[in-house]
Amino acid sequence: MSKQKQLQVSAIENGTVIDHIPAESLFDVINILGLDQITNLITFGTNLDSDKLGKKAIIKVEGKFFEDNEINKISLVAPHVKLNIIRDYEVVEKRDVEIPDEVVGIVKCFNPKCITNNEVIKTHFKVMDKTDLALKCHYCEKNTTRDELKMM
Amino acid sequence: MKNKSLVSISDYTRDEILRILELAAFYEANPKQPELREKVIASLFFEPSTRTRLSFETAINRLGARVIGFTDSSSSSTTKGETLKDTIKMVSNYADLIVMRHPLEGSARYASEQSRVPIINAGDGANQHPTQTLLDLYSIQKTQGTLENLTVFMVGDLKYGRTVHSLLMALSHFNPVFYFVAPKELEMPCEYKAFLRERGIEFYEQKEMNNLEQADILYMTRVQKERFSDPMEYERVKNAYVLRNAMLDKTKENLKVLHPLPRVNEIHTDVDSSEKAYYFQQAENGVYTRMAIISAIMGLK
C-alpha cells in the first residue's frame, strides 16, 4: 500500500526525500529550506492520504544532502518529518529532525512591540520548551508559542 | 561589570547585584564625587519619562560628567525616519556611555549590540527596567538590613508590571517568600510561577489584601483601567487594592511600603505620614543606585 503511494511522486536517483510533512506546512518547509531558490530537480506531492497525519505532503530533492543544522529548521513546522537519504534509487539512511536549541531568522516574534518587528533585524530565539514549543526572543524576552508561530 | 551594558536584571549575578548596592551606599554617604569630569554621557529618551530622566541626569551631574541627548523622540532625528541602529551608531561615537529609554521592547538589547560604548537600559517598553530593580533592592536592603529570607507582598498589576517581574527575578537569589495579591485578570504570569517552582521558592496567591502581618515588604503597583477587557470588572476590583493607613495597624515594625511611582489612588494619602511609607525615599535612593551603576560600568570603583 505505502509503496504505491510513494510512487505518486516519482523516484529520485540520489538525494533526499522529506516525508510526513503535514500538508498545510508544505510551503513553509519549501520556504524555510529555500527550495524555491535552488536549481536542483525537485518534485513534490501534497494532500496525499496518510494514516498518521490525515493529509501529508512529500518533497524529493535530487542531488541534495542537507546538513543537520539546515534541515532541523523545519522541525518547527513539521516535527515528525522523516528524511530518507537516497543513493542509486535505494534508501541508504533514515533520519528524524530535531528541534534546535536556538532559532535564528526564520520565525517572526509574535510581540508587535518587539524591536524586531519595527526595524530590519534578524530575529533570534532560545528554545525554552521543545515539546510544547516555546521560543524566547533574545530581544524582547517574550515567548512565542506554537499557536503564535509565523514564518518570516 | 566594567564596560558591560546593563539591559536586563538577569545580566547581573548575585555578587554583581550586591556590589552595586555596596557602591550605592558609598555614594549615599559621599554624594559629591566628580570622578567623571572628563566624560560625556548620552541620555537618549525616545519617550518621555521625567522621573527616570531626572534621576539619571542628577546621578550623572553628581559624578561630574556632561550630559548630551534628548528628552523625547520629537526632538531627535527619529522623526526624520532615522533607524535606532543609525542613531546608536552615531551617538556611540560621541559619548562614553549611553542611557536609553525606548518604547519598543528589546530595543536596549539591540542597541547594546550596535553600540561601541556600554548601554544602560532606562526602560524598553513593557520589557525591562533594571535600574528600577536595583534601586528597589537597595531600598529593601537599606530598610531591612538584609536581602535574605524576607517575606515580600506584591500587590496590584502583577501581569503587566515589569517592575514586579524584574524584582521577583532579582530577589530569587536571596531565598524570599512571596505573596501575590491581584485580581484574576492581572495574576502573576505562569512563566514566573514556573521559575519560582523550579528554584523551590515559596509563594502564595490571594485575591485580597490580607495576611499583611506576615510582610516585611509591601510592594504596591498601579492597577490600570486600560488593562481590563471588561470595564465593569475594573470598577468591581479597583478598591480592593487600595492601601489605607488603618490596614498597617497589625503589621510588623520593620514593614516598609514601596511603590515604583507614580501612584494614582492605590496608596491612600493617609499612608504618607506613616513611618512605614517609604516610596519617596525609595525614589531618592534611585540617584545613589544610578551613580553606583554608572560608576561600576565606567570602571571607577
Side-chain angles (χ1 to χ4, degrees):
Chain A
M1 209 32 205
S2 75
K3 270 242 160 81
Q4 252 180 358
K5 273 179 207 157
Q6 290 273 322
L7 293 179
Q8 286 182 281
V9 178
S10 55
I12 53 173
E13 186 181 344
N14 289 299
T16 308
V17 173
I18 308 167
D19 199 359
H20 295 288
I21 304 168
E24 67 275 11
S25 303
L26 171 67
F27 290 96
D28 282 335
V29 170
I30 289 174
N31 274 332
I32 291 169
L33 292 177
L35 297 182
D36 50 344
Q37 310 287 330
I38 62 174
T39 54
N40 302 46
L41 175 81
I42 302 172
T43 54
F44 64 84
T46 187
N47 296 325
L48 308 173
D49 288 327
S50 157
D51 290 340
K52 253 201 242 163
L53 298 166
K55 295 284 181 195
K56 70 163 185 179
I58 187 167
I59 304 174
K60 301 187 178 187
V61 191
E62 180 71 49
K64 176 95 185 155
F65 302 95
F66 295 95
E67 299 289 332
D68 276 352
N69 62 0
E70 196 178 2
I71 198 78
N72 279 341
K73 293 174 183 175
I74 66 173
S75 62
L76 299 171
V77 294
H80 305 298
V81 149
K82 297 277 182 247
L83 300 175
N84 295 324
I85 316 300
I86 312 287
R87 303 237 185 230
D88 201 14
Y89 294 106
E90 294 289 330
V91 178
V92 294
E93 193 191 337
K94 281 183 181 281
R95 269 160 54 193
D96 297 321
V97 289
E98 224 180 282
I99 293 180
D101 296 332
E102 294 210 339
V103 177
V104 179
I106 321 174
V107 176
K108 239 171 94 75
C109 180
F110 97 105
N111 175 10
K113 289 193 73 189
C114 179
I115 185 79
T116 60
N117 288 316
N118 291 273
E119 206 157 295
V120 186
I121 301 171
K122 202 174 210 175
T123 60
H124 189 157
F125 300 88
K126 229 192 211 151
V127 179
M128 307 301 282
D129 185 334
K130 291 193 181 182
T131 31
D132 292 332
L133 202 66
L135 306 179
K136 186 177 181 183
C137 177
H138 165 69
Y139 293 100
C140 75
E141 305 182 25
K142 298 279 181 297
N143 281 359
T144 297
T145 60
R146 194 182 301 281
D147 298 340
E148 295 149 354
L149 202 67
K150 276 209 188 94
M151 299 295 136
M152 297 293 271
Chain B
M1 283 174 274
K2 191 179 173 187
N3 285 327
K4 204 174 95 179
S5 292
L6 173 58
V7 172
S8 169
I9 190 65
S10 52
D11 293 348
Y12 277 5
T13 62
R14 182 181 191 277
D15 287 350
E16 285 173 327
I17 289 173
L18 291 171
R19 176 78 187 121
I20 294 293
L21 304 190
E22 201 181 301
L23 277 177
F26 169 82
Y27 285 112
E28 179 163 12
N30 312 277
K32 285 180 194 138
Q33 296 286 328
E35 302 157 300
L36 289 180
R37 222 173 284 116
E38 309 296 316
K39 302 291 182 185
V40 174
I41 295 179
S43 157
L44 310 184
F45 277 66
F46 292 89
E47 68 176 3
S49 168
T50 312
R51 188 181 320 272
T52 306
R53 184 173 58 81
L54 292 182
S55 174
F56 263 113
E57 293 184 3
T58 306
I60 294 166
N61 278 297
R62 287 261 172 85
L63 287 168
R66 303 287 179 119
V67 188
I68 58 167
F70 45 84
T71 58
D72 73 89
S73 59
S74 66
S75 57
S76 83
S77 48
T78 311
T79 46
K80 297 178 190 161
E82 188 177 54
T83 60
L84 175 61
K85 177 180 172 173
D86 288 7
T87 307
I88 294 296
K89 289 262 186 225
M90 183 260 311
V91 174
S92 70
N93 287 334
Y94 302 158
D96 300 293
L97 176 73
I98 296 174
V99 174
M100 182 180 107
R101 169 95 162 205
H102 198 284
L104 291 174
E105 293 153 30
S107 53
R109 180 73 61 200
Y110 179 63
S112 74
E113 292 169 353
Q114 299 302 325
S115 175
R116 294 172 47 194
V117 300
I119 301 271
I120 297 177
N121 182 7
D124 60 329
N127 184 31
Q128 290 283 339
H129 192 5
T131 63
Q132 174 73 43
T133 309
L134 287 162
L135 82 86
D136 290 344
L137 290 173
Y138 182 59
S139 301
I140 293 172
Q141 192 191 46
K142 197 169 135 186
T143 58
Q144 307 296 318
T146 177
L147 292 174
E148 303 280 351
N149 310 317
L150 297 172
T151 298
V152 178
F153 276 59
M154 295 180 165
V155 183
D157 180 355
L158 305 187
K159 185 173 181 185
Y160 300 100
R162 65 180 172 196
T163 54
V164 293
H165 299 157
S166 304
L167 184 59
L168 175 154
M169 306 285 280
L171 280 172
S172 70
H173 295 296
F174 305 99
N175 191 38
V177 175
F178 289 115
Y179 282 76
F180 300 136
V181 188
K184 183 127 196 57
E185 287 78 0
L186 300 177
E187 269 178 15
M188 185 59 76
C190 293
E191 62 219 78
Y192 292 100
K193 290 189 268 185
F195 171 83
L196 295 176
R197 276 188 210 105
E198 249 168 57
R199 300 192 156 218
I201 294 170
E202 215 178 308
F203 68 90
Y204 304 92
E205 292 185 274
Q206 53 188 50
K207 302 241 162 349
E208 276 151 39
M209 292 249 274
N210 43 33
N211 299 318
L212 292 185
E213 66 282 358
Q214 305 284 338
D216 297 308
I217 291 292
L218 185 52
Y219 198 96
M220 301 293 297
T221 64
R222 227 173 340 147
V223 172
Q224 287 165 287
K225 196 173 183 175
E226 55 272 24
R227 299 296 191 200
F228 286 80
S229 47
D230 179 0
M232 293 288 286
E233 192 53 36
Y234 170 75
E235 296 301 325
R236 224 170 285 141
V237 305
K238 67 173 184 191
N239 292 321
Y241 304 97
V242 176
L243 182 69
R244 291 177 162 273
N245 202 20
M247 295 161 78
L248 297 175
D249 281 351
K250 290 194 178 115
T251 55
K252 290 188 190 174
E253 280 295 302
N254 63 310
L255 172 77
K256 291 290 182 241
V257 179
L258 269 57
H259 189 300
L261 303 181
R263 74 169 154 182
V264 183
N265 64 344
E266 58 280 4
I267 301 177
H268 194 276
T269 47
D270 71 8
V271 180
D272 295 357
S273 55
S274 166
E275 291 274 294
K276 293 171 180 173
Y278 195 72
Y279 27 92
F280 295 118
Q281 291 99 309
Q282 183 187 358
E284 184 197 332
N285 289 336
V287 174
Y288 310 126
T289 312
R290 289 177 174 119
M291 287 174 81
I293 295 165
I294 293 168
S295 161
I297 293 176
M298 299 299 280
L300 288 179
K301 291 266 181 312

